[in-house]
Amino acid sequence: MPDRLLPLLPVHPGGRSPITCEYRCGNACAHPEPNESGNEYFGDVVKDISRRGAFKAGAVMAAAAGGFAALSGTAAASPAQKPQPRPVPGTDFDPVPPNKLDAVTVPDGYAQNVVIRWGDPVVPGAPKFDFTKQTAAAQAKQFGYNNDFVGLIPRDPLGLTNLLVVNHEYTTEVHLFPADQYDPANPTEEQVKIAWAAHGLSVLLTRRDPIRGGLEVVPSRYGRRITLDTVFEVRGPAAGSKYLKTSADPSGRKVRGTQNNCSGGVTPWGTVLSGEENIHQYFANSDKVTDPVEAARLKRYTIGTGASTRKWERFDKRWDVAQEPNEPNRFGWVVEIDPNDPTSTPIKHTALGRLKHEGSNIKITADGRVAAYTGDDERFEYIYKFVSKGKYKPGKSAHARRHNSALLDEGTLYVARFTGDSPGEIDGTGKLPADGEFDGAGEWIPLASGNKSFVDGFTAEEVYVFTRQAADKVAATKMDRPEDIEPNPVNGRIYAALTNNSDRGAAGKAGVDEVNPRVANKNGQILEWEEHRGDAASTKFSWRLLLVCGDPAAADTYYGGFDKSKVSPISCPDNVTFDRHGNLWISTDGNALGSNDGLFSVPVTGPERGHVKQFLSVPVGAETCGPNVTDHVVLVAVQHPGENAASSANPTSHWPDGGTAQPRPSLVSVWKKGRFGLPGRIGER
């Protein structure tokens, strides 16, 4: 398929279309960052002390970080010192070159199919999708818009049948409806209700074809849509809080709906955690709140002033902060869905704090408790961890699911502080320190545990509901947009995508440090850390950057010490996952290098550590979301294809249906063609 040379909208910083910026995050990058805290970074304190000779920071931090070399089995080495490696299992494929094609492009020897599109049936009895004749009743039974996280839960030992859970992050109304039917200044009530129904999650039963390959949807009793009208139970220490009570819910324990569900994770007990992220843009009139304390809290979460983009407040007062000032506090949580039980009530877990959660993933501690990691996806925000009080019960029975879900209601919430081991060497250019790596040590600072607050001036209730301000108070490290965070099931380390931060080092903004080492960071980095003794309950860790992304030919990039002339360029890492070999897979959002976004694999240990290879690319204007990698299939959610057009009137993409069709966010499965017509294994010859 040839390149589509159609007129495009101007690209915003990070490679995104202005339409995406408006509807996905309310143009967050065009506004001042909400984190205006003036906390003094511990890393800066260490540098200052070191210069005075009172504290040998480098020696201390190098000792703390020393566990990495032993774990990896290899020290950092220059490319010339490394032998020519054989491809690591799971990564033996010919990389896809960067491109601008209006297609999902996969390596030679691989096949693909569209599993489900926006508007396809989810619930039995769903009508056939008609772009020109949509209804809220139909959308509530159909696959929602802008699919993001993809969770796969096997129903048999071979993984032939699986429960599939997909997030629907946001709606782009100027693409959701025909241009001649939608007026952004005056949406109809039915159009607003269609958008409410297009948010949330979809639950499906799928089958993997062992002969032809690929995934297909199977009609079943598990088919379920969760929307902005679905009732959620509020659990944990902030349940019933005065800050969560509204006229519609004076108990503060029942919330209608979930929104801006970005990434997530499948729990060891077979449920799904999903993060509520850019919730601020849906609300209106926060500027009419006159109480200075309330106004400051709303500003810290960038809750909308004036009329909202979508005008939902015209049809339901809960979106009008002037009428319902607590309604924003009921969003911004990690939610849990049990796809095994279609009648179950989804949960909002307040013990994990309220912020712009990208997602959440679980690791079991050495003594059998549950640790949940999460990032706050905005410039200069923080990384968090929750550790449960109770212990995990192995298994996926209904009893085990109830028990383990309840573990997320009581425990300790922490925020991360990072310190580099090369004080005085970080100049903002991306130049490596003398020790050859960006690395150092860190600590988890407790914020609250149950009804006990560890933050001066904050009650525990305030810590959970206004978590950002509490983290400001303890001088956590301001990061370059922490997004997806996930434990590696093979080496036990934790990996986080830091997407970008074009304001790093700007006048009046936080400067560089070793974990965020570049000014005007347009391409992002991948962070790796090892909890002390490998225990997720520890409050100490060592860290290093696996990748400093961008053009491999540029001096400010780093690919784990691997020869940069042999890697695929990668920019703006967003979501991460792992294959069974422990290789890291990274999807991108807003490629700042001028090509379409994609999915990339990279080994994290051995001589090929840092060898990034592009596995696929997504169509024009699209983002690569929700990667899920098994031995036999790779799943990606193709979000907002063609969203670099101003509206649906002149689409820049016709994927996935081709011809003159409107683009439709869709889920794709990719598999290896094998011998005798049977599928092979992903990443193997």
Side-chain angles (χ1 to χ4, degrees):
M1 181 179 294
D3 281 7
R4 297 186 53 81
L5 300 177
L6 297 177
L8 306 180
L9 288 171
V11 174
H12 278 201
R16 278 185 181 170
S17 151
I19 293 294
T20 302
C21 291
E22 175 69 18
Y23 284 90
R24 183 180 184 182
C25 61
N27 271 322
C29 290
H31 301 292
E33 295 84 6
N35 191 347
E36 298 177 349
S37 60
N39 53 30
E40 185 177 29
Y41 293 106
F42 184 67
D44 294 333
V45 174
V46 168
K47 292 177 186 178
D48 184 58
I49 295 174
S50 179
R51 283 193 296 269
R52 296 196 306 265
F55 183 55
K56 302 299 183 182
V60 172
M61 298 311 170
F68 267 122
L71 264 175
S72 66
T74 180
S78 68
Q81 295 174 308
K82 292 185 176 182
Q84 291 298 316
R86 293 177 58 84
V88 170
T91 69
D92 193 0
F93 58 85
D94 296 324
V96 168
N99 65 78
K100 297 182 181 181
L101 300 175
D102 189 28
V104 172
T105 306
V106 299
D108 290 341
Y110 285 78
Q112 61 175 291
N113 76 306
V114 174
V115 179
I116 189 168
R117 301 163 173 80
W118 163 49
D120 285 348
V122 171
V123 177
K128 184 179 179 180
F129 177 71
D130 187 336
F131 178 67
T132 64
K133 298 178 181 179
Q134 299 179 60
T135 67
Q139 179 63 88
K141 295 181 178 181
Q142 297 165 335
F143 196 64
Y145 202 71
N146 273 340
N147 36 213
D148 198 302
F149 169 74
V150 177
L152 203 61
I153 302 169
R155 300 284 294 174
D156 62 71
L158 297 178
L160 294 176
T161 57
N162 299 269
L163 288 172
L164 179 71
V165 181
V166 181
N167 286 356
H168 301 294
E169 185 177 5
Y170 70 101
T171 51
T172 312
E173 275 75 353
V174 293
H175 288 276
L176 189 71
F177 303 111
D180 61 355
Q181 294 182 14
Y182 184 73
D183 177 2
N186 293 289
T188 69
E189 184 173 5
E190 183 69 9
Q191 287 170 334
V192 166
K193 290 181 175 178
I194 290 168
W196 293 347
H199 280 73
L201 301 94
S202 290
V203 180
L204 299 147
L205 185 68
T206 61
R207 179 180 182 272
R208 178 174 61 83
D209 192 317
I211 305 300
R212 292 179 296 175
L215 225 63
E216 62 180 2
V217 174
V218 179
S220 75
R221 70 181 185 88
Y222 295 103
R224 184 182 187 188
R225 279 301 323 282
I226 293 168
T227 73
L228 268 166
D229 284 319
T230 303
V231 175
F232 280 68
E233 177 187 3
V234 181
R235 292 238 302 255
S241 164
K242 63 182 179 182
Y243 300 116
L244 269 62
K245 294 178 179 180
T246 65
S247 62
D249 174 34
S251 72
R253 296 178 179 272
K254 298 290 181 183
V255 174
R256 197 171 116 231
T258 186
Q259 61 172 336
N260 263 95
N261 299 78
C262 197
S263 189
V266 176
T267 68
W269 50 93
T271 63
V272 165
L273 299 179
S274 173
E276 296 181 326
E277 191 189 35
N278 289 305
I279 58 101
H280 61 288
Q281 58 178 316
Y282 293 81
F283 296 95
N285 300 323
S286 69
D287 51 323
K288 294 182 180 179
V289 173
T290 57
D291 179 89
V293 174
E294 289 186 14
R297 288 166 173 166
L298 291 164
K299 183 180 179 181
R300 187 64 182 84
Y301 285 81
T302 61
I303 303 303
T305 59
S308 71
T309 295
R310 295 170 176 83
K311 312 297 188 292
W312 289 0
E313 65 274 14
R314 296 181 183 178
F315 304 101
D316 190 332
K317 69 176 184 177
R318 68 175 174 146
W319 306 112
D320 186 341
V321 179
Q323 297 188 67
E324 290 289 357
N326 279 347
E327 190 69 28
N329 301 338
R330 294 152 66 82
F331 295 91
W333 304 102
V334 170
V335 303
E336 185 175 16
I337 312 297
D338 186 354
N340 308 276
D341 180 1
T343 66
S344 60
T345 300
I347 299 160
K348 298 203 176 192
H349 285 294
T350 63
L352 277 66
R354 177 174 161 265
L355 41 118
K356 292 184 180 179
H357 290 277
E358 171 73 14
S360 186
N361 280 281
I362 299 292
K363 185 177 181 182
I364 306 302
T365 69
D367 63 358
R369 292 180 289 156
V370 166
Y373 295 91
T374 188
D376 189 346
D377 182 11
E378 193 152 25
R379 292 171 294 172
F380 302 116
E381 293 300 340
Y382 309 124
I383 288 175
Y384 298 84
K385 177 174 77 171
F386 166 86
V387 180
S388 70
K389 179 180 179 181
K391 293 188 176 182
Y392 167 68
K393 182 184 291 294
K396 298 181 180 179
S397 66
H399 172 69
R401 296 198 306 272
R402 287 192 298 270
H403 170 87
N404 294 321
S405 174
L407 297 179
L408 299 179
D409 297 333
E410 188 176 8
T412 304
L413 180 64
Y414 300 89
V415 68
R417 181 186 289 158
F418 295 83
T419 306
D421 69 358
S422 301
E425 295 188 52
I426 308 304
D427 61 7
T429 65
K431 179 183 177 181
L432 284 171
D435 64 5
E437 288 190 312
F438 297 108
D439 60 348
E443 61 180 314
W444 292 106
I445 308 165
L447 297 176
S449 184
N451 293 323
K452 181 178 181 180
S453 169
F454 299 106
V455 183
D456 288 344
F458 283 72
T459 66
E461 181 183 38
E462 289 169 334
V463 168
Y464 294 114
V465 181
F466 309 112
T467 310
R468 282 182 163 184
Q469 291 97 319
D472 294 341
K473 189 82 171 180
V474 300
T477 302
K478 296 179 178 180
M479 307 295 286
D480 286 350
R481 282 190 59 203
E483 297 220 35
D484 203 13
I485 303 174
E486 189 163 335
N488 188 319
V490 176
N491 67 20
R493 300 178 205 154
I494 317 299
Y495 293 77
L498 302 174
T499 296
N500 54 43
N501 185 352
S502 58
D503 277 356
R504 174 68 66 176
K509 312 291 184 182
V512 294
D513 48 36
E514 195 158 351
V515 74
N516 304 284
R518 292 183 295 188
V519 297
N521 178 14
K522 296 180 180 179
N523 292 297
Q525 60 260 27
I526 295 290
L527 170 65
E528 169 188 62
W529 73 85
E530 168 71 13
E531 301 278 19
H532 182 59
R533 297 183 177 176
D535 184 2
S538 176
T539 58
K540 303 289 183 182
F541 59 89
S542 54
W543 66 267
R544 61 183 173 184
L545 296 183
L546 169 65
L547 303 176
V548 181
C549 301
D551 183 353
D556 70 344
T557 57
Y558 172 74
Y559 281 72
F562 195 80
D563 184 349
K564 294 199 296 179
S565 70
K566 299 178 181 178
V567 304
S568 296
I570 184 172
S571 171
C572 299
D574 187 349
N575 299 133
V576 296
T577 192
F578 298 92
D579 59 30
R580 70 178 176 90
H581 307 286
N583 300 307
L584 178 66
W585 291 69
I586 307 164
S587 65
T588 64
D589 168 21
N591 186 346
L593 301 178
S595 298
N596 291 355
D597 279 312
L599 178 66
F600 302 76
S601 73
V602 54
V604 297
T605 60
E608 282 207 71
R609 173 179 165 87
H611 186 182
V612 173
K613 296 173 71 175
Q614 183 163 357
F615 180 75
L616 62 76
S617 61
V618 294
V620 170
E623 171 191 345
T624 318
C625 294
N628 194 299
V629 180
T630 73
D631 277 354
H632 298 289
V633 68
V634 171
L635 298 173
V636 291
V638 179
Q639 191 183 91
H640 59 74
E643 205 167 83
N644 50 351
S647 74
S648 60
N650 296 293
T652 56
S653 172
H654 298 291
W655 186 89
D657 296 327
T660 60
Q662 288 290 328
R664 293 165 70 180
S666 305
L667 179 66
V668 174
S669 68
V670 180
W671 65 96
K672 178 78 168 65
K673 298 175 185 177
R675 297 179 180 178
F676 313 112
L678 297 175
R681 288 181 181 268
I682 298 296
E684 296 184 8
R685 298 286 183 179

